[in-house]
Amino acid sequence: MPFLELNNVVKSYGENTVLRGIDLHVDKHEVVCLIGASGCGKSTLLRCVNALESINDGDIRLEDDVVSGEGVDVNALRRKVGIVFQSFNLFPHMSVLGNVTLSPIRVLGVSRADAEEQALALLKRVGLDHKAGAFPDQLSGGQQQRVAIVRALAMNPDVLLLDEITSALDPELVAEVLNIVRDLANDGLTILMATHEMSFAREVSSRVAFLHEGQVLEIGPPEQIFGNPAQERTKEFLKKIIEAGRL
Amino acid sequence: MTQLLSPAPSARERGTAAKPADATNTVLLAATIVFLLAASLCVYTAILLVSAAKPGLWTAVLAAVALLLILLGLATAIPLVRGYRAARAGAAALASGDVVSGRRLRFRGANSAWITLGSSLPVSIVSVFVLFLLANNHAVQSTFFDVSFMAKSLGAVSKAFTVNIIIAVIAEVFVLVFGLVIAIARMAPGQAGRPIRWLATTYVDVFRAVPSIIVIYLVGFGLPLANVPILSGMSPMWAAIFALTLTYSAYVAEVYRAGISSIHWSQVSAARSLGLSHGKTLRFVIIPQAFRRVSPPLLNDFIGLQKDTALVTIIGTVDAFTQAKTYASNYFNLSSVTVVAILFILITIPQTRFVDRLLERDEKKQRLQG
Ligand SMILES: Nc1ncnc2c1ncn2[C@@H]1O[C@H](COP(=O)(O)OP(=O)(O)O)[C@@H](O)[C@H]1O
Ligand SMILES: [Mg+2]
């Protein structure tokens, strides 16, 4: 039984159908990368999994329990599914520690002392424990994104969604963020990530899914997708990526 | 190549040096004329002022004012003199071929002339104002600025002014809370929230439309007349607080709402994705950020509220204005009302400066963030 399942998921914004029947299964401890042209629906897909967007058809299941549609406790779902955004979205009026401990304290009911202890341990892991008292605008983009990852991890999610988390970073800051993702993947965290970092996707992912016009056109192990794609569209996309020097 | 490098001064360059082709002279001339006009206005006013004074202590005070006026008028000559000096030095430098420092000096000269022009205007306005006070055998001054009468009414008026302050402060606290409640109600989520949104919107529409003087009148006289339980027993002061809270909560709700909707939706996404409910997202993430942004417009509304406390006079609350009017009608002199005006100015100006500072700070911050 797959850990996270998307079955025939359809999502439209008014007339514009963005996801046209997505089928995607993610097993526990798997790292699945979503690749595809900008606007093909990667962010929308991730936001649907996290119930930040409602879906129009199909269903999403977590451990075989339907987590989409009416009557679902979205706050309970979001405790299990963490998401990190391209633009960090840290809370600017809170310190790093405040950002990380907010939801453990206010949602899980953890005591402040325990939450801070856990937060500091996590921050230490990403090399930012010395920035616990800093505010987001005092950090570099890479540091902000690392804090955002820690903030999601502080809720102990079962699956982590990463939406192009390095796309807003200066090139020299990309590695420090990807190193953390690599660590998390090695630790066995289930990860579903949209990315344009093809060589990283090739290195860490168990499987790569190529999205085209709101559908999973091709999915398979990275060697297959990058080395010997079956679909013409996938080849075209990868060719453009290679031309841009990104692979 | 050699041609380009050789610094042989061209005929055109020498020509420029001989006859400076800038506006410095024109500006200096204009500044001189304006200075002469303003200074003579000041002197004329000062002479009138001294001759209008009755003998006694007041002569000394008025003489001091007159002297100040003359000094102000003459002070505008200082930059003018400096300007002439710089311009002349500039012309000399140009003549000797030092184009760069010549240009710089002439620019300084023109700039000084502009300073004279700029300061002549306010000095003239002050003079005209003093002339206005002196007009008609200084009737204007004695009606609005009778200093001894002002001093006499000051005690009672400022004591009554504490009523205005109490009304304002208590109403502001209520407005801060009630306005937020309305703003949140206007954003009640989902289908179930629609009637609440509708109710809050109606409230805001109504109370922004009705002039506060009418709300005060209706609350102050209407509630006791209708014998509304609890509310009819209110003292006029509490009625005033109640009425101002009703009106200003509508304004402040709009301020809050603008502040809340100015927070980027990605902040909501981030908070909700961490499992925070709608209410907790508002409470911990959105409202604290909005609060910082709304403080300048909020303070502006509060200044409006403070001024509107003078309206409570119509329902018989004895505030500073009521007190001043009593004095005014007993002595046929409005200077006691001027005292109230001055008191309002005194409490308002520090607040407006504070708002300016806040806005400046935000602007700087935004510029830093790019
Ligand atoms: N909130 C929204 N409202 C309307 N259209 C949207 C919204 N979000 C995304 N879209 C549209 O959905 C499509 C897919 O967007 P997105 O999921 O962001 O693509 P990707 O992340 O792959 O670049 C785009 O055409 C975009 O214009
Ligand atoms: Mg995207």
Side-chain angles (χ1 to χ4, degrees):
Chain A
M1 182 188 73
F3 183 65
L4 173 68
E5 281 176 69
L6 285 81
N7 299 314
N8 189 34
V9 169
V10 175
K11 167 73 191 172
S12 8
Y13 293 107
E15 296 285 281
N16 179 16
T17 305
V18 178
L19 303 181
R20 305 162 184 269
I22 296 272
D23 284 302
L24 183 67
H25 297 182
V26 179
D27 288 324
K28 208 158 176 76
H29 309 307
E30 245 194 334
V31 176
V32 174
C33 283
L34 302 172
I35 62 170
S38 168
C40 69
K42 303 181 294 292
S43 300
T44 306
L45 190 158
L46 295 174
R47 292 175 65 85
C48 287
V49 173
N50 200 254
L52 287 171
E53 305 286 353
S54 58
I55 61 177
N56 302 87
D57 201 4
D59 66 35
I60 300 173
R61 290 160 189 260
L62 193 66
E63 296 177 301
D64 213 28
D65 186 15
V66 176
V67 293
S68 59
E70 291 172 343
V72 172
D73 181 352
V74 289
N75 296 330
L77 164 71
R78 289 170 185 149
R79 271 171 244 159
K80 295 188 204 162
V81 182
I83 186 166
V84 181
F85 305 93
Q86 182 175 341
S87 50
F88 329 138
N89 301 358
L90 293 180
F91 306 132
H93 61 300
M94 291 181 182
S95 68
V96 166
L97 200 59
N99 266 277
V100 177
T101 56
L102 176 68
S103 54
I105 294 173
R106 299 297 173 184
V107 178
L108 301 180
V110 178
S111 77
R112 180 169 296 277
D114 289 351
E116 288 185 350
E117 194 186 320
Q118 185 213 10
L120 284 171
L122 283 168
L123 285 169
K124 195 176 172 108
R125 197 172 148 188
V126 302
L128 285 176
D129 45 336
H130 63 291
K131 293 284 187 192
F135 281 79
D137 61 1
Q138 300 167 320
L139 302 179
S140 74
Q143 290 171 330
Q144 288 189 52
Q145 194 58 294
R146 283 188 275 162
V147 173
I149 295 173
V150 165
R151 183 174 68 176
L153 290 177
M155 292 296 282
N156 260 319
D158 294 332
V159 49
L160 193 59
L161 311 174
L162 307 175
D163 187 5
E164 290 191 37
I165 57 170
T166 57
S167 293
L169 297 179
D170 291 334
E172 76 272 20
L173 303 177
V174 169
E176 66 188 53
V177 172
L178 291 184
N179 285 339
I180 292 164
V181 179
R182 187 182 291 114
D183 273 358
L184 294 172
N186 289 339
D187 286 357
L189 185 64
T190 312
I191 296 175
L192 179 58
M193 65 186 288
T195 186
H196 280 300
E197 300 290 338
M198 296 303 161
S199 49
F200 183 73
R202 194 171 199 162
E203 174 200 332
V204 299
S205 51
S206 335
R207 284 182 303 147
V208 175
F210 174 65
L211 253 65
H212 181 72
E213 291 179 353
Q215 284 184 317
V216 178
L217 209 60
E218 188 169 3
I219 183 164
E223 306 80 48
Q224 178 199 322
I225 300 292
F226 291 114
N228 187 19
Q231 297 284 335
E232 205 53 42
R233 303 271 192 202
T234 319
K235 282 180 199 162
E236 263 172 47
F237 173 72
L238 289 172
K239 189 160 156 268
K240 279 186 198 146
I241 295 283
I242 290 167
E243 278 166 5
R246 298 293 290 266
L247 186 66
Chain B
M1 197 62 204
T2 41
Q3 258 177 338
L4 280 175
L5 286 173
S6 69
S10 67
R12 207 166 114 249
E13 219 167 58
R14 258 182 272 119
T16 347
K19 191 173 72 60
D22 56 30
T24 308
N25 288 344
T26 321
V27 180
L28 278 168
L29 183 65
T32 313
I33 294 168
V34 171
F35 158 72
L36 288 175
L37 287 175
S40 18
L41 186 63
C42 284
V43 173
Y44 171 67
T45 312
I47 294 168
L48 272 189
L49 194 59
V50 175
S51 62
K54 299 185 200 84
L57 176 68
W58 280 110
T59 323
V61 175
L62 290 183
V65 174
L67 190 66
L68 190 72
L69 210 54
I70 293 176
L71 284 179
L72 267 180
L74 294 182
T76 53
I78 296 171
L80 189 62
V81 171
R82 217 178 273 150
Y84 269 113
R85 234 183 256 147
R88 203 173 321 124
L94 285 175
S96 71
D98 186 354
V99 177
V100 173
S101 61
R103 208 165 40 200
R104 189 177 298 146
L105 281 164
R106 291 197 57 84
F107 170 78
R108 278 189 206 154
N111 203 32
S112 295
W114 278 114
I115 293 174
T116 295
L117 281 170
S119 40
S120 293
L121 182 69
V123 165
S124 312
I125 288 177
V126 169
S127 298
V128 170
F129 180 65
V130 173
L131 282 177
F132 173 66
L133 292 181
L134 293 175
N136 199 7
N137 195 19
H138 65 96
V140 176
Q141 177 263 328
S142 52
T143 305
F144 293 102
F145 297 98
D146 182 334
V147 178
S148 59
F149 181 52
M150 285 166 89
K152 185 153 53 169
S153 64
L154 181 66
V157 169
S158 32
K159 195 156 155 248
F161 194 64
T162 56
V163 173
N164 295 71
I165 292 178
I166 291 169
I167 292 175
V169 169
I170 298 178
E172 280 165 6
V173 172
F174 285 150
V175 164
L176 222 45
V177 177
F178 192 43
L180 185 60
V181 170
I182 297 166
I184 292 172
R186 277 199 89 171
M187 296 183 304
Q191 193 122 45
R194 185 169 301 153
I196 296 173
R197 290 200 292 273
W198 186 80
L199 184 71
T201 309
T202 311
Y203 178 90
V204 171
D205 287 352
V206 168
F207 279 95
R208 285 210 303 178
V210 181
S212 35
I213 191 166
I214 291 180
V215 178
I216 292 172
Y217 196 84
L218 290 176
V219 168
F221 289 137
L223 293 182
L225 206 62
N227 221 347
V228 182
I230 307 169
L231 293 179
S232 61
M234 277 191 304
S235 70
M237 193 180 89
W238 280 99
I241 291 171
F242 186 60
L244 287 170
T245 303
L246 286 178
T247 298
Y248 276 89
S249 294
Y251 286 107
V252 167
E254 284 302 281
V255 168
Y256 276 129
R257 198 168 67 107
I260 288 171
S261 51
S262 78
I263 306 295
H264 200 257
W265 60 267
S266 65
Q267 287 285 308
V268 178
S269 283
R272 297 305 305 270
S273 79
L274 289 164
L276 292 161
S277 61
H278 175 83
K280 283 178 180 168
T281 299
L282 275 178
R283 180 168 149 213
F284 297 115
V285 177
I286 305 304
I287 290 173
Q289 289 185 61
F291 227 94
R292 275 153 223 236
R293 289 194 198 178
V294 301
S295 32
L298 202 61
L299 263 173
N300 278 334
D301 278 350
F302 278 179
I303 291 170
L305 188 155
Q306 289 161 18
K307 294 197 297 180
D308 275 2
T309 57
L311 299 175
V312 305
T313 188
I314 59 155
I315 56 169
T317 312
V318 183
D319 77 321
F321 185 37
T322 316
Q323 191 66 263
K325 278 195 305 183
T326 313
Y327 269 86
S329 52
N330 287 347
Y331 293 83
F332 302 107
N333 189 303
L334 291 184
S335 301
S336 53
V337 180
T338 308
V339 171
V340 185
I342 292 171
L343 289 174
F344 272 109
I345 292 171
L346 287 181
I347 62 160
T348 303
I349 286 182
Q351 297 178 80
T352 42
R353 283 292 87 78
F354 183 62
V355 173
D356 289 348
R357 282 265 295 281
L358 285 180
L359 287 173
E360 229 167 76
R361 188 200 62 186
D362 286 355
E363 209 170 285
K364 228 180 254 168
K365 215 170 172 185
Q366 262 172 9
R367 226 176 298 138
L368 275 180
Q369 283 166 358

